[in-house]
Each structure stands twice: as structure tokens, then as C-alpha cells.
């Protein structure tokens, strides 16, 4: 799979470098610098102007023969006239929510029959008084212009499409194993970030605009994907680093969500444009970069044990963040030309190629052996009496928590009172019924919050990887005690079922899981003594 992907990219690169465009542009006539301003117009140049502007150029019959007027426009409405006759008009109309800006759009205008000398006039008006431009103005064959545009865009476009596709595959793959492993969350979050980044980088492609023929819609998608990008980056880093900086993450996500709603509302009501509101998104991107570096460096510094795969993910993501930061500086300085995501795309490709293919291969392997592994896991990690996971499964989960290095958890320790007395008085079948009842109540009340284990004859443990609100935990305990009381009343037991418990909420970055278990066990024994004293 990796070799096939590398071969595909190599072929695309060769097409981009030695494509046919360089052999077909012999008849191209450059006219970018030969335009003059209409009298009274104060515009400095055709490649950078504001508000209304008119430009004129003179074309001879020999120049126009077999050629079209080809160029790129950016955020400007215009009409093209030949000897005062309008031959081309560009005023794209779209829904208000899409905004008015369309970014960079290619144009090919058939000049038709030109006299010995004809005057071409471009009457233009920039959108909302913003800066507009006409660039790469040439007289040439329209087909050759398309080939040149495709050749110049094919490598970045192909990279963006590959990134988007792999992001989609990672999302699907991560969701497919979400219930079975925490890694599914990392993979799905990685896929969301990669897919959105791929969409953003592909929207500026000349090929995409040429194929879809809807520049305003594409630019709207470009803006929305950019607004979402820092939020998806924050989510990915939050999951990757074991829920580091939870409060800061919540604040950033609230701000980014509010920005998305505010921008769409302002554009839909016509009060502003996405382009004018970009400053907030740029600030959020910068904050997301620093947030990512802070969380990653903090995790690496405090983590005693970290999987090599996660370190690789960290390094690759830092390359993406650095590339995005460089492109933001280029954009603000006006040095990014048409490709505003050049370095970001390079970092993103490193990120996806280094990790995406590896994760996809892991997913394929996982899916291939999933059924067999599931059956073996049930036999090896399931307690036959209660149906809960056994001590071996708990020990594996315990080792996993240690490798995380950071993150909040809850350990709940349970024990059954008087089980030996039940066995001695009524026999082991009665003792088994005691155990099965306790297991059922634990699973019913805490199974949705975490993982439930029977770790000994009368001992149980619940591990909650993502601590819920205290109210949810209290509700689970109240429900647990209510079920036991109802069971004792309904069964009219001589030796009633009593299940004392103790729990400890802890952060693995500062407290090891063994210490948390000891604390929870101590609290459980305190309750055990209280119950026996009351009895």
C-alpha cells in the first residue's frame, strides 16, 4: 500500500514537472504590463487596485489570430469590451450566506474577428472596495492555457485530494474501532483534522475551480474549512495529549464555535464578508499553534513512558503547525502569491504520509483479525460466572493507563460483605448468586461510565477513563444502592447483600494508578467497617 502511494505521487510529480504545457506555449504573447489607464483613473496597476477601474490595450489582427485573452481575476467584477462591444461579463451571483468573494478564478475569452487594430477595454469594480487584481494576462490558445493551469496546479491539487481522501479513510476507520479501543478516538480526530485541512488547501486549486465552475461556492467552502481548522487541531491535540489543558481547550472551542456562527450570520445578513472577518480566524490559528506546542511539550516533559507512535504523531503535527504559521506570515505580508497554503501543505503531507498510511495499515490488520481476536478476547478476558471482564483484562487496562502518561481517571473499588458466611451457611450456589447479583448491579449502574472488572472472588473494580460530572457519578451510586435494597427486600434474604465501595479521582500525570487503587481500597474498607458496625 505504501509503495503504491509513493508511486502515485511520483507519477503526479513527473506530470507536473515535464507536462506538455512547456511544449505548447510557443504562441503565447505576454500582455500583463502593456495596459494603460483610462483618463482620470487613479489606479496604479492592473495587478493591484481598489474600487472602480478601467484598463485598455490595443491588439492587432496578427496578435489575436488563433488566440484568446487568458488571465486570472481575484475578487473583482468586470466586463470585457472589444471596440466598445461587450464580449464577456463576469458578475457571479450566489446566496448571501456564501459571501461575495470568489478568490482567484481563471478566464478564457474568445476575441473573435479583430480588425487591423482593436481596443480591448476591461471595466472592473472590486468587491466591497477590497483589493482586486488581474494577473497572468496573455494572448494564447485557450486549450494551452488550461494545460498550463493544470500543470501548475496538479501537484498541490493531487496532494490536497490525497490528504482529504486519507482523512476520510481515517475517520471511517477510527469510528469503526471506537468502541473497542481508545486509539479509535485519536485516529478519528486525526482524520477530521486532515480532511478539513485537505479541503481547505484544495479550494484554492485552479483545477478544482475549473472542474466545478462555481468560484463563489468554492471560496465559501475555503473560508468555512479555514474557520474550522484551529478547532479541529485543538480537539486532536486534546485527545492526543491525554486531555491536557481541559479548561483552555473548552475556552478555545467556545471562541471558535462563536466565530463560526458570527461569521455566517454577518455574511448572511450582508453586514460584512468572510474576507473582512478573517482577522479573528487568523488570531485563532496562531493561538491554536501555541496551544498545540504547549500541550505537546508539556506532555513530553511530564510523561515517563510514551509510545513511539505518539511521539511520531507529535513531531509530524508540529511540522504542520509550523508550516501553517509560516503561510500565515506570508499571507499577511502579501508574499504568498496564488498559493496561500504552500508550506502548510508540505507539513500536512509529511503528517499524513508519516502517520495516515501507518494507521490505515493498522486498521486493515485490525479489521482482518477482529472477529478472531474478539472471540479469543472473550475467552481470555471474561469472567465466566458474571460476564464481566476478569483480572487479566484489568491488568491490561492498567498497563494502558500507565502508557498514557497523562489524563484524568476514576477508580472505584467494590467488595461483597459476608460472602464466606453465605457459602458456609447456604452453600456455594447461594454465594454465586450473591456474586452474580452484585456484578449485575455494578454493570447496570457503572457500565455506561467505564469498564467493569471482577478482580477476585468478591472483589470488583470499575475504571472510568473519561471522568463524568460528579452529579453523574453520584446518580450512579444512588441507583446502585437502590438496586441492592430492592434486591434484599424482594428476595427476603437472611444474609443480605452488602457491597461497600470506595473511589478515587486522579490525574495519571501526578498520581500512579497503583496509588489510586490503594486509596480507593482504603475508602472501601472504611465503608465495610461502617456497614458491619451498623449490622
Amino acid at each position: 500500500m505504501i509503495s503504491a502511494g509513493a508511486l502515485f505521487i511520483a507519477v503526479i510529480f513527473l506530470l507536473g514537472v515535464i507536462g506538455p504545457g512547456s511544449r505548447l506555449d510557443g504562441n503565447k504573447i505576454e500582455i500583463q504590463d502593456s495596459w494603460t489607464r483610462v483618463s482620470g483613473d487613479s489606479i496604479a496597476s492592473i495587478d493591484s487596485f481598489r474600487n472602480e477601474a478601467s484598463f485598455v490595450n490595443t491588439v492587432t489582427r496578427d496578435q489575436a489570430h488563433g488566440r484568446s485573452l487568458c488571465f486570472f481575476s481575484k475578487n473583482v467584477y468586470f466586463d470585457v469590451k472589444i471596440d466598445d462591444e461587450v464580449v464577456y461579463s463576469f458578475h457571479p451571483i450566489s446566496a448571501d450566506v456564501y459571501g461575495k468573494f470568489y478568490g482567484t478564478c481563471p478566464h478564457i475569452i474568445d476575441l473573435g474577428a479583430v480588425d487591423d487594430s482593436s481596443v480591448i477595454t476591461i471595466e472592473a469594480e472590486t468587491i466591497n472596495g477590497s483589493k482586486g487584481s488581474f494577473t497572468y494576462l496573455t494572448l494564447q490558445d485557450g486549450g494551452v492555457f488550461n494545460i498550463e493551469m493544470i500543470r501548475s496546479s496538479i501537484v498541490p491539487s493531487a496532494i490536497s485530494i490525497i490528504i482529504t481522501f486519507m482523512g476520510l479513510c481515517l475517520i471511517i476507520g477510527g469510528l469503526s474501532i471506537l468502541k473497542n479501543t481508545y486509539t479509535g478516538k485519536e485516529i478519528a480526530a486525526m482524520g477530521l483534522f486532515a480532511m478539513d485541512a485537505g479541503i481547505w488547501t484544495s479550494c484554492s486549486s485552479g483545477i478544482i475551480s475549473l472542474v466545478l465552475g462555481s468560484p463563489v461556492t468554492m471560496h465559501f467552502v475555503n473560508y468555512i474549512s479555514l474557520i474550522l481548522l484551529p478547532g479541529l487541531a485543538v480537539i486532536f491535540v486534546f485527545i492526543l495529549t491525554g486531555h491536557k489543558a481541559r479548561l483552555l481547550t473548552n475556552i478555545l472551542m467556545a471562541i471558535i464555535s462563536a466565530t463560526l456562527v458570527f461569521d455566517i450570520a454577518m455574511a448572511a445578513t450582508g453586514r460584512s464578508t468572510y474576507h473582512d472577518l478573517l482577522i479573528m480566524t487568523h488570531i485563532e490559528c496562531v493561538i491554536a499553534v501555541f496551544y498545540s506546542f504547549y500541550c505537546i511539550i508539556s506532555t513530553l516533559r511530564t510523561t515517563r513512558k510514551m509510545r513511539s507512535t505518539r511521539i511520531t504523531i507529535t513531531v509530524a503535527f508540529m511540522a504542520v503547525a509550523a508550516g501553517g504559521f509560516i503561510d500565515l506570515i506570508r499571507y499577511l505580508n502579501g508574499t504568498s502569491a496564488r498559493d496561500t497554503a504552500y508550506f502548510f501543505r508540505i507539513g500536512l503531507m509529511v503528517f499524513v504520509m508519516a502517520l495516515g498510511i501507518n494507521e490505515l495499515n493498522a486498521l486493515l490488520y485490525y479489521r482482518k483479525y477482529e472477529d478472531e481476536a474478539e472471540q479469543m478476547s472473550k475467552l481470555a478476558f471474561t469472567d465466566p460466572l458474571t460476564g464481566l471482564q476478569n483480572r487479566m483484562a484489568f491488568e491490561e487496562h492498567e498497563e494502558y493507563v500507565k502508557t498514557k502518561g497523562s489524563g484524568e481517571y476514576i477508580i472505584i473499588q467494590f467488595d461483597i460483605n459476608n460472602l464466606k458466611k453465605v457459602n458456609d451457611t447456604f452453600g456455594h450456589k447461594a454465594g454465586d448468586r450473591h456474586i452474580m447479583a452484585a456484578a449485575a448491579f455494578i454493570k447496570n449502574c457503572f457500565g455506561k461510565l467505564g469498564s467493569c472488572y471482577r478482580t477476585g472472588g468478591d472483589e470488583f473494580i470499575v475504571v472510568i477513563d473519561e471522568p463524568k460530572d460528579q452529579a453523574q457519578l453520584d446518580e450512579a451510586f444512588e441507583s446502585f444502592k437502590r438496586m441492592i435494597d430492592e434486591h434484599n427486600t424482594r428476595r427476603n434474604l437472611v444474609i443480605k447483600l452488602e457491597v461497600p465501595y470506595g473511589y478515587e479521582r486522579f490525574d495519571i500525570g501526578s498520581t500512579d494508578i497503583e496509588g489510586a487503587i490503594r486509596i480507593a481500597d482504603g475508602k472501601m474498607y472504611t465503608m465495610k467497617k461502617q456497614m458491619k458496625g451498623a449490622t
Side-chain angles (χ1 to χ4, degrees):
M1 181 176 179
I2 296 176
S3 60
L7 178 61
F8 178 64
I9 293 174
V11 171
I12 290 173
F13 178 78
L14 290 174
L15 286 173
V17 174
I18 60 172
S22 60
R23 297 192 298 271
L24 298 174
D25 60 359
N27 287 325
K28 179 168 63 176
I29 300 175
E30 300 280 356
I31 58 171
Q32 177 71 35
D33 300 325
S34 60
W35 296 84
T36 58
R37 295 173 295 179
V38 174
S39 177
D41 197 333
S42 60
I43 303 304
S45 64
I46 196 168
D47 58 3
S48 180
F49 59 92
R50 293 182 183 274
N51 301 317
E52 296 182 356
S54 296
F55 304 93
V56 295
N57 204 341
T58 302
V59 178
T60 65
R61 179 183 298 173
D62 290 341
Q63 290 176 323
H65 180 68
R67 299 182 180 92
S68 299
L69 176 62
C70 305
F71 58 92
F72 291 90
S73 69
K74 182 175 181 179
N75 295 331
V76 57
Y77 301 146
F78 63 93
D79 294 318
V80 176
K81 296 180 178 180
I82 297 181
D83 294 333
D84 295 327
E85 179 182 352
V86 176
V87 296
Y88 187 84
S89 183
F90 187 74
H91 298 265
I93 300 174
S94 64
D96 290 337
V97 71
Y98 285 176
K100 298 182 181 299
F101 288 88
Y102 60 82
T104 302
C105 184
H107 304 275
I108 301 174
I109 303 173
D110 184 11
L111 297 178
V114 173
D115 296 332
D116 291 341
S117 179
S118 294
V119 176
I120 299 177
T121 304
I122 300 178
E123 297 179 349
E125 179 184 1
T126 60
I127 300 173
N128 282 32
S130 64
K131 185 168 68 174
S133 66
F134 296 103
T135 53
Y136 302 98
L137 282 133
T138 61
L139 297 174
Q140 65 179 120
D141 182 270
V144 174
F145 178 77
N146 281 333
I147 292 174
E148 287 181 338
M149 181 173 58
I150 292 172
R151 191 188 71 167
S152 64
S153 303
I154 191 168
V155 174
S157 297
I159 291 174
S160 297
I161 292 171
I162 291 172
I163 291 169
T164 304
F165 175 74
M166 292 195 67
L168 178 61
C169 292
L170 289 170
I171 293 171
I172 295 173
L175 293 177
S176 69
I177 62 172
L178 195 60
K179 294 182 179 179
N180 301 326
T181 171
Y182 183 85
T183 305
K185 291 184 179 181
E186 289 183 6
I187 295 175
M190 183 194 309
L192 280 170
F193 172 76
M195 184 175 177
D196 184 70
I199 291 173
W200 175 60
T201 57
S202 66
C203 284
S204 59
S205 167
I207 294 179
I208 303 297
S209 299
L210 183 67
V211 172
L212 297 182
S214 181
V216 177
T217 303
M218 289 303 303
H219 213 51
F220 167 74
V221 175
N222 180 283
Y223 282 125
I224 297 301
S225 57
L226 178 58
I227 294 171
L228 292 174
L229 196 61
L232 294 175
V234 167
I235 292 173
F236 171 64
V237 172
F238 178 66
I239 295 175
L240 174 68
T241 58
H243 300 180
K244 202 77 174 177
R246 182 182 295 272
L247 177 61
L248 179 58
T249 301
N250 291 335
I251 293 174
L252 285 177
M253 291 306 301
I255 293 174
I256 292 168
S257 300
T259 299
L260 177 63
V261 174
F262 178 78
D263 287 5
I264 292 177
M266 293 294 285
T269 57
R271 297 183 179 182
S272 187
T273 65
Y274 292 107
H275 184 272
D276 294 335
L277 298 169
L278 272 181
I279 181 64
M280 190 61 193
T281 299
H282 290 158
I283 294 173
E284 290 165 359
C285 287
V286 173
I287 294 174
V289 169
F290 284 104
Y291 163 87
S292 302
F293 276 88
Y294 164 74
C295 289
I296 290 170
I297 293 173
S298 177
T299 301
L300 289 173
R301 189 179 65 245
T302 59
T303 298
R304 290 164 296 180
K305 183 178 180 181
M306 193 172 187
R307 290 183 303 165
S308 59
T309 301
R310 188 168 284 110
I311 294 175
T312 306
I313 293 175
T314 298
V315 174
F317 184 77
M318 290 173 74
V320 176
F325 190 76
I326 293 172
D327 278 329
L328 177 60
I329 299 301
R330 291 171 63 237
Y331 176 82
L332 296 176
N333 288 339
T335 59
S336 58
R338 282 193 293 156
D339 193 347
T340 58
Y342 180 80
F343 290 100
F344 179 80
R345 189 183 288 109
I346 293 174
L348 191 62
M349 195 61 189
V350 171
F351 175 79
V352 173
M353 294 302 293
L355 306 168
I357 292 178
N358 178 65
E359 296 293 352
L360 287 175
N361 284 333
L363 283 170
L364 291 174
Y365 179 85
Y366 182 90
R367 302 304 302 184
K368 180 178 179 181
Y369 295 102
E370 183 178 21
D371 293 338
E372 180 181 348
E374 185 176 352
Q375 294 301 321
M376 294 178 65
S377 178
K378 285 182 178 179
L379 293 174
F381 298 111
T382 302
D383 175 55
L385 178 63
T386 63
L388 299 181
Q389 298 180 75
N390 60 17
R391 185 167 194 85
M392 187 182 300
F394 169 72
E395 289 175 351
E396 184 176 87
H397 194 165
E398 185 179 22
E399 287 301 315
Y400 167 74
V401 172
K402 293 177 182 178
T403 63
K404 283 295 293 181
S406 61
E408 295 181 14
Y409 299 87
I410 293 177
I411 290 287
I412 310 175
Q413 184 88 36
F414 298 87
D415 188 87
I416 301 176
N417 282 349
N418 304 316
L419 183 61
K420 184 177 185 304
K421 187 175 181 180
V422 173
N423 287 331
D424 293 342
T425 306
F426 300 104
H428 285 279
K429 286 188 177 181
D432 288 347
R433 286 194 292 269
H434 243 45
I435 293 171
M436 288 188 290
F441 300 149
I442 291 171
K443 184 175 182 180
N444 286 339
C445 297
F446 300 95
K448 293 182 180 179
L449 301 181
S451 302
C452 305
Y453 304 90
R454 182 189 178 197
T455 55
D458 57 356
E459 297 176 354
F460 302 86
I461 285 181
V462 172
V463 181
I464 302 177
D465 288 349
E466 296 182 8
K468 312 300 180 185
D469 293 337
Q470 186 64 38
Q472 289 180 276
L473 196 61
D474 292 340
E475 183 181 347
F477 283 125
E478 288 298 323
S479 178
F480 180 65
K481 289 186 287 187
R482 185 172 59 253
M483 285 185 178
I484 292 177
D485 291 340
E486 291 173 354
H487 172 77
N488 288 330
T489 302
R490 185 175 63 255
R491 305 278 296 190
N492 194 25
L493 298 175
V494 176
I495 302 177
K496 298 185 180 299
L497 175 64
E498 294 180 351
V499 186
Y501 59 83
Y503 75 92
E504 175 68 6
R505 188 189 296 264
F506 70 101
D507 188 327
I508 195 64
S510 57
T511 305
D512 58 40
I513 189 170
E514 291 92 346
I517 292 173
R518 287 193 296 272
I519 295 173
D521 201 50
K523 293 178 180 179
M524 182 270 293
Y525 272 104
T526 299
M527 181 180 286
K528 190 180 189 76
K529 292 178 181 179
Q530 292 173 349
M531 285 181 171
K532 287 187 175 182
T535 303

